[in-house]
Amino acid sequence: MKTKVAVLSTAAMAVSMLQLFVLGALGPVLVAGSGLARWQLGVLVAAGFGVAALLSLPVGALVDRIGPKRGLVWLFALSAVSLGVLAVARSPWWVAVGVALGGVPQALANPATNKLVLAAVEPAARGSVTGWKQSGVQLGAFVAGVPLAGAAAVVDWRWGVAVLAVLCLVGAAVAARLPVGVPPRKAGGPVGGVGDRVAVLAGFSLALGFGLASVNTYFALYGVDRLGLAAPVAAWLIAVMGVLGIAGRVVWSGAAGRADDPAAVLPWLALGAAGSVGLVAAAEWWPWSVWLGAVGIGVFAVSGNAVSMVAVMRAVPQRAAGRAAAVASAGFFGGFALGPPVTGLVVQHAGYGWLWSAVGSAFLVSAAVAVRVTRRTAVAV
């Protein structure tokens, strides 16, 4: 059962953001074929995270009422609809509809998968399973960035996106067969009763998401503009960060799950992320340090969200797991929506030096918030 939960949760996290990864991977094709302007592409990505942030709280409460199985079925089904709309979109408006629909599975992802892990996995294994399922986000980015982009060069990209939609329907069918019951009608508890600790973890996620989204958006561009890297080589900066992020999420989440307080790991991850940004900034003088920075951001910054989810699951009783995950996710999605537009203005008007200062400051803020988290008493589940 543990393996099945890990695989299905990882797949759910992967497909929950596929529509945004498709926008990134197929950006040039969409601009040429759907009439999207380049600035509209960036706005749509930010708006997608904004929709997810706005929907997170009501969707989290819904998952507490309907249970993880139904939540996952809806996640896969709505991901299929979102990708199907993108596959047939012939105008920017229909692309926007697909992105907006995709905000719902994004909002469902952490509440449904966290609640499934709590319901079906023994406490000793929850940390490692959480690390694997959170690494599903990077898996989704890989699927969109490598196989889909490759298929687009051979056949019509719309067929590739349609295949992904069909696979999401398969995921919905598998989720419907999970041997996990529906919670009693009164199991939801009072609305908003997730505790101060979870609210502070949402603040940590907001600052972390702000910095991480900015890195995702401008890292490769920095490599081309300031370090003289060829575009394919600069793209490997993101790839290195993603691969190390998968490993970091599994390792750090497993360690956090075994700790008395999982949140105790968070300040060190945030400080490591800030130091890694310093290595990226130093690459203008020592070009090799950009690769060390990419490794560090993957190991520390990308891992932070997974460890925060382990802390969230430890902080609340199982009946409130959906709402708690939603609160933390709303912070993370909010950071992703705010980061690129704000730091984009920094790049445009002040340059990359100030960009990395802003990102490093965001990670230091997340470290300070994480220290405050550790002073809150966790709730035993």
Side-chain angles (χ1 to χ4, degrees), residues 69-251:
K69 179 166 73 173
R70 290 181 180 175
L72 286 173
V73 170
W74 278 105
L75 184 156
F76 282 109
L78 288 170
S79 294
V81 174
S82 172
L83 291 168
V85 171
L86 288 180
V88 300
R90 300 287 178 178
S91 73
W93 292 107
W94 280 109
V95 175
V97 169
V99 171
L101 287 172
V104 184
Q106 272 185 267
L108 278 164
N110 278 311
T113 56
N114 278 16
K115 204 167 182 70
L116 177 63
V117 171
L118 285 171
V121 178
E122 63 275 13
R126 287 173 184 169
S128 60
V129 171
T130 300
W132 280 110
K133 67 117 173 159
Q134 294 298 132
S135 71
V137 177
Q138 275 69 44
L139 177 63
F142 174 83
V143 169
V146 179
L148 182 58
V154 180
V155 297
D156 191 337
W157 64 270
R158 298 179 188 277
W159 286 105
V161 176
V163 168
L164 293 178
V166 172
L167 291 176
C168 288
L169 292 177
V170 173
V174 173
R177 297 176 62 84
L178 277 174
V180 179
V182 178
R185 288 184 65 87
K186 295 184 178 180
V191 174
V194 297
D196 290 344
R197 184 177 174 90
V198 173
V200 180
L201 281 165
F204 168 83
S205 297
L206 175 67
L208 181 75
F210 183 100
L212 192 54
S214 301
V215 173
N216 287 342
T217 304
Y218 299 109
F219 202 5
L221 195 61
Y222 168 71
V224 172
D225 289 348
R226 298 304 293 267
L227 306 183
L229 299 178
V233 176
W236 274 99
L237 292 171
I238 303 296
V240 168
M241 192 175 72
V243 170
L244 270 296
I246 293 174
R249 285 185 168 194
V250 173
V251 172

Side-chain angles (χ1 to χ4, degrees), residues 253-351:
S253 294
R258 294 188 296 271
D260 292 335
D261 181 5
V265 178
L266 294 176
W268 300 107
L269 294 180
L271 289 173
S276 300
V277 171
L279 289 172
V280 172
E284 295 201 35
W285 295 276
W286 301 290
W288 51 268
S289 72
V290 74
W291 298 101
L292 294 179
V295 169
I297 291 171
V299 169
F300 297 112
V302 176
S303 304
N305 186 47
V307 174
S308 72
M309 282 299 155
V310 177
V312 166
M313 285 192 287
R314 188 80 66 86
V316 296
Q318 184 176 332
R319 62 183 174 81
R323 293 194 302 276
V327 170
S329 296
F332 194 64
F333 292 145
F336 260 73
L338 289 172
V342 172
T343 50
L345 291 174
V346 172
V347 171
Q348 182 175 346
H349 296 290

